[in-house]
Amino acid sequence: NNRVLIKAPNLGWDNVPVADLLEKHLNMPIVVSSRPGAILMAEHRRGIAKGKNEIALFLASLGIGGAIMVSGSLVAGHRNSAGQIGHLPVTSGSEICTCGRNDCLDTKASGHSILTRLGLVPRRDSKTGHGPADSKLLLEVKDKAEKGDLSARRSLNKSGFQLGRALRGIGTVLDPEIIIIAGTLAQSQNYMHGVIQG
């Protein structure tokens, strides 16, 4: 549905008719998309993927999101979750993901995994989301790494490596013209170096 925000767990929003609400105030047509989907469309129309029609974009931030374009069209999937690789099963661990499982890529490759590894947020033992304070902490870790903090560098690199490993398989399955990494972690040389090593 491109009219309703189906779920925004970090905001606590479910089935909010965002398009209707905004159209009333802005007096223009509104289409709702996921953040990765909106970024992918912008990159396709005016950015690095201009002229390409087979695109995979992954948003590496507190969680790992994604969007896929095939033949120039965004792929939604049956539950509007195509491209959302954060819940791909990888090696089981002790941390619980926001979905309630303990084997998701998010628990190994996300910003939250970095914060947990560094002891800045507690290891999840139940199904909970992220908050604005976590976003600020992640930016602080990125800055510390840029200033030479070895622990921050290692943690970013380790999580990036996990994403890189997942992307090797995804690239083989999707065979896109381009894979784009966006989000807070895409701006970290240490994280991206890990992705490339993976």
Side-chain angles (χ1 to χ4, degrees), residues 40-178:
L40 190 152
M41 290 303 294
E43 292 291 354
H44 177 249
R45 290 184 181 161
R46 301 189 184 272
I48 195 167
K50 189 172 181 177
K52 297 180 178 8
N53 291 313
E54 311 295 328
I55 307 163
L57 179 136
F58 300 104
L59 187 66
S61 193
L62 284 172
I64 307 290
I68 300 165
M69 178 176 280
V70 175
S71 300
S73 296
L74 270 179
V75 176
H78 177 67
R79 291 184 298 255
N80 292 309
S81 61
Q84 298 295 328
I85 66 167
H87 300 295
L88 275 176
V90 293
T91 308
S92 293
S94 59
E95 183 162 12
I96 303 298
C97 180
T98 57
C99 73
R101 292 190 348 229
N102 71 337
D103 62 351
C104 293
L105 182 62
D106 262 358
T107 66
K108 307 285 187 241
S110 69
H112 186 83
S113 73
I114 293 163
L115 298 178
T116 302
R117 193 176 299 115
L118 292 170
L120 298 172
V121 295
R123 191 168 290 282
R124 274 196 211 111
D125 57 6
S126 64
K127 184 178 168 179
T128 58
H130 317 286
D134 295 343
S135 294
K136 185 178 177 191
L137 278 175
L138 186 57
L139 289 172
E140 288 172 8
V141 167
K142 188 174 89 52
D143 289 344
K144 283 181 182 179
E146 289 169 7
K147 292 175 182 169
D149 184 294
L150 215 53
S151 297
R153 284 182 170 189
R154 285 184 182 137
S155 188
L156 284 156
N157 187 269
K158 187 171 184 176
S159 289
F161 182 83
Q162 293 297 322
L163 179 61
R165 288 186 58 146
L167 291 182
R168 276 194 291 154
I170 290 163
T172 301
V173 171
L174 295 178
D175 190 27
E177 294 173 78
I178 186 171

